[in-house]
Amino acid sequence: MSTQELGPSPHGSPLDPVDVDQAEAALVEHYPRLVRIAYLVLPPSLGRNRRVLTAHALVQRSLPARRTSGGEVPGPRHAEDAVDPGYAYVRGEVLRQALVAGLPLLRRALPRRAQFPPLLPQVWGLRVFPRAGGADELALDQRLSALSGPARAVYVLRGLERQGDPQVLRVLAAAGVAEPVARAALGEADAVEAALGVGSAGLLDSPEFDPCSLQVRPPDLMRRRQHGRAALAAAAAVLVCGTLLGLPGDGWGRAGAAAPPYARNPAAEAALDPGKVRRVPAGFWQSSARTDFSVWPARGGLVADRALLRRALAVWARPGGSVRSSATPGTPVGPPMGAPTLLFAGVVDGSRVVLLHDGLRAVRYAEPVAGTAGAALDFARTDGADAVGSAALVLSRTTANVRYLTAPWVRETAVRDLLAPAKEPWSLARDAHGVTEPLLSPAQARGCTAWNTLQVRDATGVRLLADLGELAPARLTSGPPAAPVDVTARGARELWARTACRLTAVRSLGVRSVNAWPFAEQRLPEDGGRAAWVCARAETWRGTGTRVLAQFQVPAPGVAAAVVAQAEESPACGAREPRVLAGVLWQAKSGSWYVLAAGSGDFVSLRTTGGVKGAADGRLLAVRAKAGARADLDGTLGDGTRVGALR
């Protein structure tokens, strides 16, 4: 593509004028989707770290330059372009900038802002990139890297935005792509679909292409060390000159009564001394007022190995470049704040494993039995854990299996398959240290043919804990948000049997618990049976980052629930706002289409507007519709408040 093929739109501005407030609201609401679009359209030659940062930068500077007067009448729109004007404007700006960023720098032409590395946001000392996907995502990424920028834009608009070719051509024209180039891009995208299949576009929703859910790794540490030494020498010279210029004098220095940065700190030294690691006696938890990780006894065959503990503490404080490190979102990865508590030290599955806890975090250090090459360090936030939240920690994870270290108050352990609610759990043996036998984990599984959970029994009852790819397993419950209960009853197990496969949406997010709430049942039109509406809410250890999934369960045993709406940082289905409203477009056996909707018990009426108009008293609604129809849904509460659907 030459620089002449991408420029201002021949039709003027990319979209009809929109107000800054309207565009900003659309940007905030659809920020993850817009960043994903920018990341996919940007050239892969930038590298994943720069693509992530550039994608965020392009979206953040896509607002209009000024407010509109509000007196302009929008121009005519095509019937199929029923898109929020603010969102359409921001998406057009994101596409335009992403296409510009892929243009080569020419000597005779002034470079554009999008072609430079972004000034903001910036991440210092780390490299960020999305989570790795599977073989299908890798194949799609390789295909997209071979396409031109407009062709990637075509594939993304078709796959993510569900647009037809006429709409795609108009969006590209508004972004400044010449018509011959745009039509050639359609052909390139067709070739990818022919090679990978039409369904491959669904992979665009994969975490592989999500620049808002990131992993971090260190940069080139040797180069950074060289630059750091040079900067340190320069800083020392400036410090010496400043000291000389400041003498003589008296009074407080710049840091007040603080010790100089090179002085020894007793608390920091104690945190790295294996002899000062806190060890809790074996029976202390029975007389303690607390029942959490702070009263776990030190267990394992290597609790007296000072050399191993010294290595674990040193790597925790200063992980080297060869250390594979991970942390749940919102978990600080710095050194311990004081002498930590030793939970376990022993040999497990061919590795020496050390589990430590500092009051805020559980930390797992692992090294191969032969040498220290390939050491791993994992962090998980566990503050505020109760007896259930501290019932188990992941001790070892292999390709498909997982072992747990259980709390001393856990009396029995078993394995229960969520997808087989009628099947009895089978016993899971533990050794004298509380380490379980390995069990098949769903955390890394690509399919969903089984979903094994750890069932623990203590003095107060039975709990189910699910491995979501982190150190601390998540507690599963069911029932109303104000009074959730553990999954023990047959009805709760049958509910989770059709919800379990949707737990993949909350993997590796620092989830503390997931509650499934069946908030409504609805008789389907044309004698289609009874469907269930379920709201699943995932709470995190850090408090923020909650996920809410509204699910629709058709009356077909064994069929996983369909996610019809989802939201992040929403109070819906929680203790603070125990209500939810959701809808779905459903097809009857006769081929007829209906808009179905259901709300929790607080709703007294529902209505749909937009492409489908209808209303109903009560908290259930069913309205005839056409295939592909889009409707807006809201409801009225008992006090007259109008509430929108979950989104």
Side-chain angles (χ1 to χ4, degrees):
M1 184 192 300
S2 69
T3 56
Q4 302 300 321
E5 294 172 332
L6 188 63
S9 169
H11 307 292
S13 61
L15 293 166
D16 295 329
V18 296
D19 188 75
V20 174
D21 294 337
Q22 185 180 13
E24 183 180 15
L27 187 150
V28 171
E29 180 180 358
H30 302 286
Y31 186 85
R33 188 179 192 85
L34 292 166
V35 177
R36 187 187 290 262
I37 291 173
Y39 179 84
L40 287 165
V41 177
L42 284 168
S45 59
L46 296 178
R48 291 190 293 175
N49 182 76
R50 182 173 167 186
R51 279 174 74 192
V52 168
L53 298 179
T54 302
H56 283 273
L58 297 185
V59 174
Q60 291 174 16
R61 60 174 184 243
S62 294
L63 294 177
R66 60 183 178 85
R67 297 181 183 273
T68 60
S69 63
E72 299 177 356
V73 178
R77 296 183 180 272
H78 296 269
E80 63 269 33
D81 286 341
V83 179
D84 172 35
Y87 174 72
Y89 177 90
V90 175
R91 182 186 62 192
E93 283 295 296
V94 169
L95 284 173
R96 183 185 63 79
Q97 295 181 84
L99 292 172
V100 167
L103 296 177
L105 290 172
L106 301 179
R107 293 182 178 179
R108 297 184 180 181
L110 291 176
R112 306 186 191 180
R113 182 181 180 186
Q115 294 175 281
F116 289 106
L119 295 177
L120 290 174
Q122 283 288 348
V123 177
W124 297 94
L126 291 171
R127 300 189 66 81
V128 297
F129 51 91
R131 298 183 179 276
D136 295 337
E137 288 86 351
L138 178 61
L140 176 59
D141 190 47
Q142 292 174 343
R143 289 280 184 175
L144 293 179
S145 65
L147 298 180
S148 63
R152 286 193 297 273
V154 169
Y155 196 85
V156 171
L157 290 173
R158 285 175 174 176
L160 277 182
E161 299 296 275
R162 305 292 192 269
Q163 291 189 343
D165 287 353
Q167 295 171 280
V168 170
L169 290 174
R170 284 196 295 275
V171 173
L172 291 182
V177 180
E179 183 176 358
V181 176
R183 294 196 175 276
L186 293 177
E188 290 185 63
D190 289 338
V192 173
E193 293 180 351
L196 300 180
V198 178
S200 62
L203 298 174
L204 296 177
D205 287 315
S206 167
E208 170 84 10
F209 307 112
D210 183 8
C212 290
S213 179
L214 302 172
Q215 291 182 315
V216 296
R217 290 293 184 271
D220 188 335
L221 297 178
M222 293 303 298
R223 179 179 299 177
R224 187 173 73 178
R225 181 180 297 176
Q226 294 171 357
H227 293 172
R229 288 172 178 171
L232 183 61
V238 172
L239 179 63
V240 170
C241 293
T243 303
L244 293 176
L245 291 175
L247 294 176
D250 53 11
W252 290 105
R254 178 179 179 85
Y262 52 83
R264 288 187 170 183
N265 185 298
E269 289 184 339
L272 300 179
D273 185 354
K276 295 184 178 180
V277 169
R278 181 171 174 264
R279 291 172 169 83
V280 177
F284 180 75
W285 64 273
Q286 296 175 335
S287 59
S288 173
R290 301 180 59 172
T291 311
D292 55 22
F293 292 114
S294 67
V295 296
W296 272 32
R299 291 172 287 178
L302 299 178
V303 292
D305 190 336
R306 292 175 62 91
L308 172 62
L309 298 182
R310 187 181 301 278
R311 290 194 299 273
L313 293 170
V315 171
W316 182 353
R318 303 181 306 277
S322 63
V323 177
R324 294 179 287 108
S325 181
S326 69
T328 57
T331 303
V333 295
M337 298 172 286
T341 300
L342 176 62
L343 307 182
F344 180 88
V347 176
V348 184
D349 294 333
S351 296
R352 287 185 286 262
V353 179
V354 179
L355 270 181
L356 298 161
H357 189 262
D358 69 349
L360 174 68
R361 302 162 293 178
V363 180
R364 175 184 176 272
Y365 169 79
E367 64 181 28
V369 171
T372 59
L377 189 66
D378 301 309
F379 295 86
R381 188 166 174 173
T382 58
D383 51 316
D386 55 11
V388 179
S390 58
L393 285 175
V394 170
L395 191 60
S396 173
R397 191 187 301 280
T398 59
T399 303
N401 294 330
V402 64
R403 290 181 190 264
Y404 293 97
L405 177 67
T406 56
W409 52 84
V410 171
R411 299 178 177 180
E412 297 177 6
T413 54
V415 181
R416 181 178 286 281
D417 183 2
L418 286 181
L419 301 189
K423 184 179 180 181
E424 289 297 319
W426 59 96
S427 178
L428 182 65
R430 295 181 293 168
D431 65 14
H433 300 294
V435 179
T436 69
E437 290 294 310
L439 67 147
L440 190 66
S441 169
Q444 305 296 331
R446 296 187 60 85
C448 191
T449 56
W451 198 284
N452 290 338
T453 57
L454 176 67
Q455 180 173 291
V456 298
R457 180 186 296 275
D458 57 21
T460 60
V462 175
R463 331 285 182 187
L464 284 189
L465 305 177
D467 178 21
L468 297 181
E470 300 168 333
L471 277 181
R475 180 184 184 182
L476 303 183
T477 59
S478 65
V485 296
D486 288 289
V487 184
T488 56
R490 177 65 180 269
R493 297 200 302 270
E494 291 177 347
L495 172 69
W496 267 105
R498 304 183 63 184
T499 304
C501 291
R502 302 311 176 195
L503 286 173
T504 56
V506 294
R507 284 176 179 166
S508 303
L509 296 179
V511 173
R512 178 173 186 167
S513 64
V514 184
N515 183 58
W517 172 34
F519 64 91
E521 278 194 358
Q522 183 174 21
R523 183 172 296 280
L524 299 177
E526 302 183 15
D527 295 326
R530 298 190 68 84
W533 293 84
V534 179
C535 187
R537 180 179 178 86
E539 301 284 359
T540 66
W541 287 97
R542 64 190 183 278
T544 59
T546 56
R547 293 283 183 94
V548 181
L549 306 176
Q551 305 174 27
F552 179 69
Q553 296 183 351
V554 296
V559 178
V563 177
V564 298
Q566 55 184 317
E568 299 181 21
E569 305 290 4
S570 171
C573 302
R576 293 184 179 273
E577 190 175 293
R579 61 173 179 266
V580 64
L581 172 63
V584 67
L585 186 63
W586 174 79
Q587 186 179 26
K589 293 181 180 180
S590 66
S592 301
W593 289 88
Y594 293 84
V595 168
L596 305 179
S600 52
D602 296 340
F603 288 87
V604 296
S605 66
L606 307 179
R607 72 171 183 178
T608 58
T609 56
V612 180
K613 293 180 172 58
D617 292 331
R619 60 193 186 107
L620 301 175
L621 177 143
V623 181
R624 287 289 292 266
K626 296 181 179 179
R630 299 179 64 88
D632 295 322
L633 173 65
D634 59 52
T636 303
L637 303 178
D639 61 1
T641 304
R642 190 165 292 279
V643 178
L646 181 71
R647 54 181 302 175

